Amino acid sequence: MNYHNITKDDMLNGDGLRVVLWVAGCSHHCKGCQNPITWNEKSGLYFDEKAKCEIFDLLEKDYISGITFSGGDPLMPCNREVVGNLIKEITVKFPNKNIWLYTGFTFDEVKDLDFIKFVDVLVDGRFEENLKDEKLLWKGSSNQRVIDVKKSLNNNTICLHCGDYN
């Protein structure tokens, strides 16, 4: 898997102060995408042990709430194995940190992935330029949902994260 950046102390991509991993690879190619440079899965840098250590060092800090996976699309088939393993490892090593994940896939399309149960919040759905609204919290277009994954899996129905204001 390749990635483009690891953002430190981010406040725009989830609750609290966060680390953000911007992965490479996305075939959705949404019109008006904020990050088309990440579409090519071969672009950016190879995600190696050094990059993983950088993320873990940042997550060690008490003031960091958690990690957000964005991109590109962390759930593109080319990214799923590495992202899934990383999510599982973070869950074990940092049980008090939360995990957010942005994807162009819908919750129904990814809810059966073995590692999704470890994600706290999933922002799902393709960005739709004609539904763009800059007043929305944590999402770019009104069709997207900010989903409480654990509650949704437990209740077998979509439960929105409390901050999903329309």
Side-chain angles (χ1 to χ4, degrees), residues 3-8 20-23 38 44-45 54-55:
Y3 74 103
H4 278 264
N5 194 21
I6 297 169
T7 304
K8 304 158 186 70
V20 182
L21 176 62
W22 302 89
V23 303
T38 63
L45 306 166
E54 180 180 348
I55 288 171

Side-chain angles (χ1 to χ4, degrees), residues 69-163:
F69 292 86
S70 194
D73 192 329
L75 297 185
M76 292 307 298
C78 62
N79 295 328
R80 287 182 182 180
E81 182 178 356
V82 174
V83 167
N85 289 337
L86 190 55
I87 285 172
K88 290 175 187 174
E89 194 170 347
I90 289 168
T91 300
V92 170
K93 191 168 176 73
F94 304 99
N96 296 323
K97 304 292 181 174
N98 60 59
I99 298 173
W100 283 52
L101 192 147
Y102 282 79
T103 183
F105 294 102
T106 65
F107 182 72
D108 285 338
E109 292 174 310
V110 299
K111 69 181 180 185
D112 294 327
L113 294 173
D114 72 327
F115 57 87
I116 288 296
K117 64 186 174 195
F118 301 114
V119 173
D120 294 288
V121 177
L122 181 85
V123 182
D124 82 335
R126 294 172 51 122
F127 171 75
E128 299 287 341
E129 189 173 43
N130 61 321
L131 299 175
K132 179 179 179 179
D133 184 344
E134 293 179 9
K135 291 177 259 160
L136 297 171
L137 193 57
W138 300 313
K139 58 185 183 176
S141 57
S142 60
N143 63 298
Q144 295 173 309
R145 300 174 294 182
V146 183
I147 298 170
D148 181 319
V149 174
K150 293 172 181 166
K151 197 181 283 186
S152 297
L153 291 173
N154 286 337
N155 295 328
N156 203 26
T157 188
I158 300 290
C159 298
L160 298 179
H161 179 66
C162 63

Side-chain angles (χ1 to χ4, degrees), residues 21-73:
L21 176 62
W22 302 89
V23 303
C26 184
S27 63
H28 301 301
H29 297 183
C30 301
K31 184 178 179 188
C33 172
Q34 69 169 4
N35 223 358
I37 193 169
T38 63
W39 289 355
N40 183 343
E41 68 185 74
K42 297 187 185 329
S43 64
L45 306 166
Y46 178 70
F47 187 81
D48 57 10
E49 192 65 26
K50 183 179 174 192
K52 184 169 100 171
C53 287
E54 180 180 348
I55 288 171
F56 285 8
D57 287 346
L58 293 166
L59 289 172
E60 288 281 350
K61 298 177 180 181
D62 289 339
Y63 64 85
I64 296 294
S65 300
I67 185 167
T68 299
F69 292 86
S70 194
D73 192 329

